[in-house]
């Protein structure tokens, strides 16, 4: 068995195309798979009440590996996923996040934003950060930082990391796990708690686990396809 190739920066290298000949899926099978995927993804919900039951760590790692296949600007893959399992570290993250959220809910967000959040039942208390058995903290790399301190700008960082997070949520859901995208603002404390380098900026905190036995979610309705799709 050959070991996988090790990624190295490709900045400035010439274009080297390789053949790509995936097997074409029969139309009937494609339609069945698409319909099944649509139905399964429609059952995905954001969860804020987690069970403390452990999750299969390899399933989480595989979901992160799926997220890391996302397209990115100039194939620079400007992301880092920090898997936080240590309860003490999760408690530190929760304490810092709740302090920032308290300031936000007491006025920093503004009434318009608070009014938009009110139907979702959120507040400054964030038990999901310690109840869930794992957190995935996603960082975006604003630039590449070499071992000798050399820097190279990354492009389309927000777009690239956003796509990767979407793929991560899908992979977790399809693996039978629940998740939440939590974005405390500001998030500088995450770099400090997790000791991340200067080229990384926190993008999101994603608790991962199973819904609690008494889990409840907002009674929401998604837009219909004809409300989000325009065909020309």
């Amino acid at each position: 068995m050959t070991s996988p190739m090790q990624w190295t920066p490709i900045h400035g290298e010439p274009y080297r195309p390789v053949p790509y000949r995936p097997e074409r899926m029969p139309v009937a099978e494609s339609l069945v798979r698409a319909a099944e995927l649509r139905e399964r993804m429609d059952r995905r919900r954001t969860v804020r009440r987690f069970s403390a039951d452990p999750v299969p760590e390899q399933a989480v790692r595989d979901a992160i590996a799926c997220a890391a296949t996302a397209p990115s600007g100039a194939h620079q893959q400007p992301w880092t996923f920090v898997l936080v399992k240590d309860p003490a570290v999760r408690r530190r993250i929760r304490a810092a996040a709740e302090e920032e959220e308290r300031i936000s809910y007491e006025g920093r967000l503004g009434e318009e934003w608070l009014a938009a959040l009110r139907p979702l039942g959120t507040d400054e208390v964030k038990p999901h950060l310690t109840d869930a058995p794992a957190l995935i903290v996603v960082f975006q790399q604003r630039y590449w930082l070499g071992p000798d301190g050399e820097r190279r700008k990354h492009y389309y960082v927000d777009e690239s990391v956003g796509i990767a997070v979407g793929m991560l949520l899908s992979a977790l859901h399809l693996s039978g796990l629940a998740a939440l995208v939590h974005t405390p603002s500001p998030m500088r404390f995450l770099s400090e708690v997790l000791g991340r380098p200067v080229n990384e900026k926190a993008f999101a905190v994603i608790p991962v686990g199973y819904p609690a036995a008494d889990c409840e979610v907002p009674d929401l309705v998604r837009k219909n396809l004809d409300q989000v799709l325009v065909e020309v």
Side-chain angles (χ1 to χ4, degrees):
M1 180 178 177
T2 58
S3 58
M5 294 178 61
Q6 182 67 33
W7 177 86
T8 56
I10 59 172
H11 183 85
E13 293 186 7
Y15 174 54
R16 296 190 181 95
V18 295
Y20 180 61
R21 306 287 187 272
E23 182 179 352
R24 182 174 295 188
M25 184 181 297
V27 171
E29 182 180 355
S30 179
L31 290 172
V32 169
R33 289 198 185 189
E36 290 177 346
L37 179 59
R38 177 179 178 177
E39 182 180 355
R40 291 184 67 185
M41 291 304 299
D42 192 51
R43 294 197 294 267
R44 188 202 63 78
R45 292 301 304 264
T46 290
V47 168
R48 291 183 170 84
R49 298 175 69 176
F50 286 88
S51 166
D53 294 343
V55 296
E57 291 183 11
Q58 190 56 47
V60 178
R61 294 189 188 97
D62 285 341
I64 293 172
C66 289
T69 69
S72 60
H75 191 55
Q76 292 170 324
Q77 304 164 84
W79 43 63
T80 301
F81 303 88
V82 180
L83 179 57
V84 184
K85 299 174 289 182
D86 187 321
V89 177
R90 288 188 281 121
R91 285 194 295 270
R92 289 180 61 194
I93 290 174
R94 177 178 175 178
E98 288 185 336
E99 176 59 23
E100 294 294 350
E101 296 282 23
R102 181 186 62 78
I103 298 171
S104 294
Y105 276 87
E106 287 180 354
R108 182 166 58 188
L109 293 180
E111 178 53 34
E112 186 175 2
W113 193 345
L114 289 172
L117 290 172
R118 204 161 287 130
L120 304 180
T122 63
D123 57 27
E124 69 275 12
V125 182
K126 306 299 179 184
H128 48 262
L129 295 175
T130 48
D131 290 349
L135 304 178
I136 302 172
V137 185
V138 185
F139 288 87
Q140 53 181 325
Q141 301 171 6
R142 306 307 301 181
Y143 53 89
W144 177 79
L145 182 64
D148 58 354
E150 179 186 1
R151 299 185 181 193
R152 293 180 187 150
K153 182 181 178 180
H154 282 163
Y155 299 92
Y156 296 103
V157 175
D158 292 341
E159 295 86 347
S160 301
V161 179
I163 294 170
V165 167
M167 292 178 63
L168 175 61
L169 296 175
S170 296
L172 291 169
H173 173 68
L174 295 174
S175 300
L177 300 174
L180 159 72
V181 178
H182 180 50
T183 54
S185 180
M187 291 192 280
R188 288 187 297 272
F189 67 89
L190 290 166
S191 295
E192 299 168 2
V193 171
L194 298 174
R196 300 313 304 159
V198 295
N199 65 321
E200 294 186 358
K201 178 182 178 183
F203 186 84
V205 183
I206 302 177
V208 178
Y210 297 111
D214 59 350
C215 181
E216 295 179 330
V217 296
D219 185 14
L220 302 178
V221 177
R222 292 189 171 99
K223 293 180 179 180
N224 296 325
L225 184 61
D226 60 4
Q227 293 177 287
V228 300
L229 172 63
V230 176
E231 299 190 50
V232 179

